[in-house]
Amino acid sequence: MPFVNIKTPEGALSRSQKEEIVHRATDMLVEYFTEAARPHTMVLIEEVKDGGYGRADEIFILPDAYRVKEDS
């Protein structure tokens, strides 16, 4: 079973963006493994809370400009 795990800052993606990622990642894996892989492909999008990871030796907080304004 192909498995994709994507970690993203909490609040950075809307529901429709997550759905698009799931569809595109699944399509990509089907290109490699054939259509038989589609029903067995798992795409997990995990949202990491602010302060839950670091970047450039500092705790990362998602800037407001990158936050989703509304979830569609």
Side-chain angles (χ1 to χ4, degrees):
M1 165 169 76
F3 183 87
V4 177
N5 186 348
I6 297 170
K7 294 183 187 294
T8 182
E10 186 175 55
L13 297 173
S14 69
R15 179 185 175 113
S16 63
Q17 288 172 316
K18 291 175 195 173
E19 288 174 357
E20 181 181 359
I21 289 169
V22 168
H23 294 308
R24 291 176 72 175
T26 300
D27 287 344
M28 180 188 67
L29 291 169
V30 164
E31 285 182 35
Y32 287 99
F33 297 112
T34 77
E35 192 63 39
R38 187 175 302 277
H40 306 288
T41 299
M42 170 72 77
V43 180
L44 175 64
I45 299 174
E46 292 183 279
E47 293 186 299
V48 179
K49 291 188 177 291
D50 277 345
Y53 59 100
R55 182 186 72 187
D57 202 31
E58 294 181 11
I59 297 297
F60 184 77
I61 305 295
L62 185 68
D64 286 339
Y66 294 105
R67 292 188 190 280
V68 170
K69 301 303 182 223
E70 62 183 53
D71 197 23
S72 42

